[in-house]
Amino acid sequence: MKIKKFYKILLENQIGVLFVVFLIYIFSPYFNLWYGILIAEIFSNSIGIIYYILQKFLNLFVRIEIRFLNKIINILILIFSFFSGIVISEYIMSNLLAFNIFSSYKYLFLITILLLLFLIFFIILIYNKLNEEIRKNERLKNEKLKAELVSLRSKLNPHFLFNTLNTLLEIGQENSEQMEKIIINLSDIYRKILYSSDKDLVFLEEEINLIKEYLEIEKIRLGNRLECEFNIDNNLNKFQIPPLILEPIVENAVIHGISKKKEGGKISIFAFKKANEIIFEIIDNGIGKVEDINMGFGLMSIKNRLILTYDNAKIEFEQNNPSGIKVIIKIGG
């Protein structure tokens, strides 16, 4: 790869040599082919070597990530190389070949070179300073986001426990024999919650298993009045989401939608990919209405954590037909 690049530079230099020889032929009244080729070789190769060295130096010590700014610096380096090539060529030819070309403009060229060099380093210095500030702000932003996520998670876990204990108390008053299974499920659920408490993200399959265990508790309470359906794209099992991002929606659907409906109802959980979006749908046919949705802690936590975790994510609420609510989470797109 490096050899190909070297040959490319060499070829470009020789094309430059031919162009300079052509210009000397047109504008010089005393054209000599060999002298012309010699002058052109010195001039063109001086520009090429200076440009190559500066490019290497820039790539080695400075990384310009803004394409437009990178192009401007490259153009300035090219202009700097051009004027430097003139000065070097004039020095070599005047001292070794006794030619005096552009001698009257020599100091003007030197001033131009210094100004270009100052401009290049000034742009790089400003870019590095701005880049450092941007990175610093990004670090502070990430630290703030992490702190907010930890705070939200620490509040969400007791909220889930409170609702589950209420379910346990309700069942315990009606049928004490079923309490053992509920306690085992609750223990397993909290073991998983504690295991994932230090994680910013968990696999989707972990969240789905947590939902299934929660729904088993609710099925003991509601019996045949609760029907569950899962339709999860297997390719999304390892997709990572914030912990307890779907469970509170399922919980709301059961507690506020299905359990209050005399004949009960059905809750369906879907996860699939459509175009560039990952879509989650939690649909129930309970008594809930979109206009009655209260953005309490659980739903606000989901909304906030989606915003904090993903660049492009949103949660939507739609009225299900004939009854109930459809909650849609879209990530990406």
Side-chain angles (χ1 to χ4, degrees):
M1 190 70 182
K2 289 183 178 180
I3 295 174
K4 285 184 179 179
K5 191 173 183 180
F6 174 76
Y7 283 136
K8 183 183 176 184
I9 294 169
L10 190 63
L11 179 63
E12 288 172 352
N13 268 350
Q14 297 315 306
I15 292 171
V17 167
L18 293 175
F19 180 70
V20 173
V21 169
F22 178 70
L23 290 177
I24 293 172
Y25 173 74
I26 292 175
F27 294 106
S28 175
Y30 308 104
F31 177 73
N32 181 288
L33 179 62
W34 298 112
Y35 279 139
I37 291 173
L38 182 61
I39 292 168
E41 284 285 355
I42 293 171
F43 177 62
S44 183
N45 284 291
S46 296
I47 294 173
I49 290 168
I50 293 167
Y51 183 79
Y52 179 77
I53 290 171
L54 286 176
Q55 278 286 347
K56 279 288 183 185
F57 178 83
L58 190 68
N59 293 333
L60 192 62
F61 296 103
V62 183
R63 187 177 293 276
I64 307 293
E65 296 174 356
I66 302 173
R67 187 177 295 180
F68 175 72
L69 189 60
N70 200 35
K71 284 184 178 180
I72 290 176
I73 291 176
N74 283 333
I75 291 169
L76 290 173
I77 289 174
L78 183 62
I79 298 170
F80 174 85
S81 303
F82 176 78
F83 284 105
S84 298
I86 291 175
V87 172
I88 291 170
S89 301
E90 198 278 333
Y91 176 82
I92 292 172
M93 288 183 288
S94 62
N95 285 276
L96 300 181
L97 304 176
F99 285 157
N100 290 313
I101 301 175
F102 302 131
S103 57
S104 57
Y105 297 100
K106 181 167 40 177
Y107 294 108
L108 178 62
F109 291 151
L110 285 171
I111 292 169
T112 304
I113 288 168
L114 290 173
L115 286 173
L116 285 168
L117 195 62
F118 172 78
L119 186 59
I120 291 167
F121 279 104
F122 180 74
I123 290 173
I124 292 171
L125 186 67
I126 294 295
Y127 171 79
N128 283 339
K129 189 69 177 175
L130 288 173
N131 201 38
E132 186 180 331
E133 286 297 319
I134 289 168
R135 292 183 188 279
K136 183 180 176 181
N137 288 335
E138 282 295 322
R139 283 197 301 270
L140 291 173
K141 184 181 175 183
N142 288 334
E143 287 173 8
K144 183 183 176 184
L145 292 184
K146 277 191 173 183
E148 288 182 27
L149 284 170
V150 168
S151 175
L152 284 168
R153 246 193 342 255
S154 66
K155 292 176 183 175
L156 187 60
N157 291 348
H159 179 266
F160 172 76
L161 179 60
F162 174 76
N163 285 338
T164 310
L165 287 176
N166 275 347
T167 300
L168 186 62
L169 179 62
E170 188 178 331
I171 293 170
Q173 291 172 342
E174 296 174 358
N175 190 341
S176 59
E177 293 178 1
Q178 294 176 332
M179 287 186 66
E180 183 180 353
K181 186 174 181 181
I182 294 174
I183 292 170
I184 290 171
N185 268 26
L186 184 60
S187 173
D188 192 44
I189 286 170
Y190 259 83
R191 180 180 58 81
K192 290 175 180 177
I193 290 175
L194 289 172
Y195 176 73
S196 63
S197 62
D198 294 330
K199 296 181 180 179
D200 293 329
L201 299 168
V202 297
F203 291 130
L204 175 61
E205 63 181 351
E206 296 178 55
E207 180 85 355
I208 295 299
N209 289 334
L210 191 71
I211 291 170
K212 286 178 179 177
E213 288 189 312
Y214 165 74
L215 287 174
E216 282 182 14
I217 294 174
E218 291 295 353
K219 278 183 74 67
I220 292 172
R221 181 168 69 93
L222 298 174
N224 294 331
R225 292 175 58 224
L226 176 61
E227 186 182 348
C228 307
E229 177 190 6
F230 289 87
N231 195 332
I232 310 298
D233 186 340
N234 289 330
N235 293 324
L236 297 179
N237 281 335
K238 299 302 180 183
F239 181 75
Q240 292 188 309
I241 60 172
L244 297 178
I245 204 82
L246 302 178
E247 190 282 333
I249 301 173
V250 174
E251 196 176 324
N252 278 346
V254 173
I255 294 172
H256 302 296
I258 295 172
S259 66
K260 293 182 179 181
K261 191 176 180 181
K262 185 178 179 181
E263 66 274 24
K266 179 180 179 180
I267 183 164
S268 303
I269 296 103
F270 298 92
F272 56 92
K273 187 173 184 180
K274 185 178 181 182
N276 293 325
E277 284 186 321
I278 305 296
I279 300 175
F280 304 104
E281 292 181 352
I282 294 94
I283 306 168
D284 73 83
N285 60 353
I287 63 168
K289 294 181 180 179
V290 171
E291 57 266 27
D292 295 332
I293 290 176
N294 178 22
M295 291 297 286
F297 173 76
L299 292 178
M300 281 304 299
S301 169
I302 293 166
K303 184 178 179 181
N304 290 338
R305 288 188 296 147
L306 284 171
I307 292 169
L308 292 171
T309 306
Y310 302 104
D311 292 331
N312 191 2
K314 55 187 174 182
I315 181 170
E316 300 172 351
F317 304 92
E318 295 179 3
Q319 194 66 49
N320 190 31
N321 188 24
S323 65
I325 293 173
K326 179 191 287 188
V327 182
I328 305 166
I329 293 176
K330 296 179 180 179
I331 299 172

